Amino acid sequence: MRLPAVTTLGLFAQGIHGAAVLRFGCSSIVVERLDPLVNPGVNPSPHVHQIVGGNAFAASIATSDVSQIANCTTCSFVEDRSNYWTANMYFKARNGTFKRVPQIPNRYLDGEVGGMTVYYTMPYDNSKATAFKPGFRMLAGHADQRAAGGVTKYNAICFRCYNAANFGGDNQAPCSDSTVDSVTLPAKACPGGIRTTIRFPTCWDGTNTDSPDHMSHVSYPSSGTFENSGPCPSTHPVKLPQLMFEVVWDTSAFNNKADWPADGSQPFVFSQGDATGYGQHGDYVFGWEGDKLQQALDAGCFGASCSKLKTQAFSEANKCSVPKAVNEDVDGWLQAVPGQSMPMKAREFMA
Ligand SMILES: *[C@@H]1O[C@H](CO)[C@@H](O)[C@H](O)[C@H]1NC(C)=O
Ligand SMILES: *[C@@H]1O[C@H](CO)[C@@H](O)[C@H](O)[C@H]1NC(C)=O
């Protein structure tokens, strides 16, 4: 479907400033316990992820030019053979068993299967930003976070509770509308599902494509946020385009209160054992071909088509695959979330 004009679209509030915004869908390439960024070579890694993008994805990915290792992508732009991933959401039924919550395509991205929406946004003050380099990788958020703090002060992670089907309630920029947005998992049932937003750091040290914690080579603004054009710190002076993920979890099959915990608390838990939502995190391994990302952003491209890039139909993107490397069931009704001890510790179900 073609994108309607930006000004008619509340969900595009991110783009009304006029600078380039690439917004495109990427289908799932695999759902499994691998994490080549945090646990390279470890099979299985501690928790389940949903991964999208290029077919270089594996237990470890060489730090060379990933666009040369992969030869297809589940994303709309064929030049983007990056990998993007997040934790998965599970539903814990009152009887103690778990079921993976499916994902649905975002608005205007029909044909995507599972997966997520990826955004690259240029600075709101129309200044220049420098696209990522081959070998670049980074992490946003902290999988172990279970309390207020962390990256929430940068508006980096939040949820939107859709109060009706078809993205009901979605008419403001992410993390900006306290009537539908929260930094914790919504406490009530969300008839239209729950959207995750993850915003990555937008300042770079200009030298290192990675760091031991996959974070310290990049930074959020030294004050304010990317959205209000907060400045980069002197330690990380190079502005990056903002990478943002949106994942739409289709919780509609799990909204029967009779299946929720008897105390009425919300029943969803992330695959790292986080029922608060503070531990939302995203991973990025850059894999764009040549300087195509820079070209697209400098050309002011918007949405999922760009004169500098080739867009493929989801019917084509969905053919890109990687062999499943971990032999375990991540779907079905499970006795435990894969890799997590059973029963879930009580403290993980607080908040
Ligand atoms: C694409 O990559 C896959 C897996 O790495 C490989 O098996 C296949 O031969 C490649 N195809 C082409 C056309 O290079
Ligand atoms: C547990 O509850 C879910 C949701 O009601 C149900 O689909 C599943 O069959 C139940 N499993 C067992 C073992 O009772």
Side-chain angles (χ1 to χ4, degrees):
M1 176 174 177
R2 268 198 77 76
L3 234 37
V6 55
T7 46
T8 64
L9 269 180
L11 93 161
F12 263 80
Q14 179 99 352
I16 57 176
H17 58 299
V21 186
L22 299 180
R23 176 195 186 262
F24 54 95
C26 299
S27 291
S28 174
I29 195 160
V30 70
V31 175
E32 65 186 354
R33 273 206 286 151
L34 289 185
D35 189 340
L37 191 52
V38 176
N39 306 105
V42 177
N43 178 344
S45 68
H47 59 262
V48 178
H49 291 113
Q50 55 107 7
I51 299 106
V52 307
N55 65 341
F57 186 81
S60 54
I61 304 177
T63 54
S64 56
D65 186 347
V66 169
S67 77
Q68 300 298 308
I69 308 172
N71 61 15
C72 65
T73 176
T74 64
C75 297
S76 291
F77 292 124
V78 298
E79 294 87 350
D80 183 12
R81 297 187 286 281
S82 307
N83 285 116
Y84 310 93
W85 65 95
T86 74
N88 280 87
M89 186 184 279
Y90 279 84
F91 168 71
K92 188 188 187 190
R94 189 174 291 192
N95 64 21
T97 61
F98 295 86
K99 181 98 173 116
R100 185 166 74 83
V101 177
Q103 295 133 241
I104 48 173
N106 217 326
R107 204 180 283 182
Y108 311 116
L109 298 175
D110 294 341
E112 181 196 302
V113 175
M116 64 171 99
T117 314
V118 173
Y119 292 73
Y120 288 90
T121 302
M122 286 297 255
Y124 283 60
D125 60 6
N126 290 310
S127 58
K128 293 277 170 217
T130 304
F132 313 95
K133 302 278 178 276
F136 188 94
R137 31 196 78 189
M138 65 176 165
L139 193 59
H142 298 271
D144 295 336
Q145 188 86 20
R146 296 290 181 276
V151 296
T152 56
K153 66 172 176 282
Y154 309 110
N155 269 343
I157 56 169
C158 72
F159 298 97
R160 177 152 300 174
C161 179
Y162 289 126
N163 54 30
N166 296 317
F167 315 99
D170 182 6
N171 46 26
Q172 301 291 334
C175 315
S176 70
D177 181 348
S178 61
T179 66
V180 283
D181 291 335
S182 57
V183 292
T184 54
L185 276 158
K188 59 173 188 184
C190 303
I194 298 172
R195 185 187 67 193
T196 277
T197 295
I198 300 172
R199 289 172 166 142
F200 283 74
T202 51
C203 304
W204 179 39
D205 70 10
T207 309
N208 297 296
T209 51
D210 196 5
S211 49
D213 62 359
H214 315 291
M215 290 183 166
S216 38
H217 59 311
V218 288
S219 172
Y220 288 93
S222 53
S223 62
T225 63
F226 178 81
E227 286 65 46
N228 63 22
S229 301
C232 282
S234 59
T235 49
H236 299 77
V238 180
K239 283 188 199 173
L240 298 167
Q242 185 192 59
L243 176 64
M244 181 174 100
F245 298 169
E246 284 179 349
V247 186
V248 184
W249 308 101
D250 184 6
T251 55
S252 57
F254 309 107
N255 283 341
N256 179 4
K257 284 287 175 68
D259 286 335
W260 283 33
D263 67 0
S265 59
Q266 72 83 26
F268 299 105
V269 58
F270 279 103
S271 48
Q272 76 273 25
D274 173 25
T276 67
Y278 287 118
Q280 284 204 90
H281 59 286
D283 295 69
Y284 177 45
V285 170
F286 172 86
W288 284 78
E289 202 179 295
D291 66 347
K292 289 288 185 180
L293 175 61
Q294 186 80 58
Q295 282 186 34
L297 293 169
D298 289 346
C301 284
F302 189 86
S305 63
C306 174
S307 59
K308 303 287 181 188
L309 301 173
K310 183 163 181 258
T311 300
Q312 63 181 348
F314 281 114
S315 54
E316 197 58 32
N318 294 345
K319 290 179 192 159
C320 188
S321 66
V322 292
K324 207 166 174 6
V326 185
N327 183 21
E328 76 182 347
D329 186 13
V330 294
D331 297 315
W333 285 97
L334 306 173
Q335 292 303 309
V337 174
Q340 303 298 307
S341 56
M342 215 293 271
M344 300 291 282
K345 293 185 219 83
R347 66 176 175 80
E348 291 167 342
F349 274 90
M350 291 185 330

